[in-house]
Amino acid sequence: MTRIYTKTGDGGQTHLRSGVRVDKDDIRIEANGEIDELNCHIGVVCAFLPKDDARRQLLCKIQQELMTVMSLVATPPGKENPREEQLEELTSKMESEIDRIALNRKFSFVLPGGSVLQAYLHMARSKARTAERRLWTVNREYPQDRKMMVFMNRLSDYLFALATDNDSDK
C-alpha cells in the first residue's frame, strides 16, 4: 500500500505541477483549495440527485472539469498543461440550462434555503463565487485562460438557477 503522507509538506511548502515548490499559502494553492471545496459541495448536491438525472450528469461533468481547472492553475508559467479542455462546451451547456430554467420565470434576490437540495445548491453557488474571486487574484499575477474564467463565472450562475428552479425541490 502506498502511503498517503510524504512529509515533504511539513515545512509549509507544497508543489505545483512539474514539481515547482511553493508556500502552502501561495495564491494558486489557495485558489485550488477553494475549487476543491466547491467540488465537494457539488458532490453533495449530486448525492441528492438520482443517478439518471440530467442535472446530476451535467454536474458530474462540471466536477471533472473543475479538476482540469485546478490543474491549469497549478501549472507554472512557461510549462505546458497537456490536459484537454472542454470549458467552452460546458459553459454553453450551462448557459442553455440557465435559459431553459429562466424561460417562464423572473430571477430575483432569494434567501438561501428551501429544500435540503436547494440549500446545498446555494452553498455550492456561494463557494463558486469565492473560488472565482480567488482565481481573479491568481489571474493578476499568473494570467489564466479566459475560457476558464468565463466557465467559473457561469458556474455560479448555473448553480443559482438550479437552486431557484422549482424542480430542484423534488
Side-chain angles (χ1 to χ4, degrees):
M1 180 171 141
T2 304
R3 290 185 308 174
I4 292 175
Y5 61 90
T6 63
K7 299 184 182 183
T8 59
D10 292 352
Q13 288 198 324
T14 190
H15 68 277
L16 298 175
R17 286 180 47 90
S18 304
V20 173
R21 303 285 297 167
V22 296
D23 292 331
K24 286 190 175 189
D25 62 353
D26 182 279
I27 57 174
R28 294 163 291 184
I29 303 303
E30 288 288 334
N32 275 350
E34 296 292 340
I35 297 166
D36 184 34
E37 193 173 337
L38 166 61
N39 215 344
C40 292
H41 284 291
I42 293 173
V44 171
V45 168
C46 288
F48 278 91
L49 295 169
K51 289 191 188 299
D52 61 346
D53 189 300
R55 297 170 297 180
R56 179 182 176 148
Q57 293 169 2
L58 179 55
L59 287 169
C60 287
K61 288 179 185 175
I62 289 168
Q63 282 189 285
Q64 291 170 344
E65 199 60 25
L66 286 173
M67 299 300 287
T68 299
V69 168
M70 290 173 63
S71 176
L72 293 169
V73 171
T75 300
K79 301 285 185 186
E80 186 175 328
N81 188 319
R83 299 199 52 122
E84 181 180 337
E85 295 180 63
Q86 299 175 0
L87 295 168
E88 285 181 302
E89 179 183 328
L90 278 174
T91 300
S92 293
K93 180 68 176 161
M94 286 188 289
E95 288 171 349
S96 295
E97 287 301 302
I98 293 166
D99 293 343
R100 181 191 61 75
I101 292 168
L103 189 59
N104 295 314
R105 55 188 312 260
K106 188 176 187 178
F107 289 113
S108 62
F109 178 80
V110 297
L111 291 175
S115 69
V116 173
L117 176 59
Q118 288 172 316
Y120 280 123
L121 281 160
H122 278 294
M123 288 176 66
R125 171 201 49 83
S126 175
K127 184 49 70 174
R129 294 202 193 287
T130 302
E132 181 191 5
R133 288 192 304 270
R134 292 299 83 74
L135 283 175
W136 280 108
T137 302
V138 169
N139 188 65
R140 279 196 294 275
E141 195 167 333
Y142 306 99
Q144 300 295 305
D145 184 285
R146 177 167 162 43
K147 290 178 260 180
M148 180 180 83
M149 302 304 285
V150 172
F151 169 78
M152 290 300 294
N153 182 267
R154 208 64 74 246
L155 178 54
S156 60
D157 296 334
Y158 175 59
L159 293 168
F160 175 81
L162 283 179
T164 58
D165 185 12
N166 292 333
D167 289 340
S168 289
D169 58 4
K170 297 174 184 163

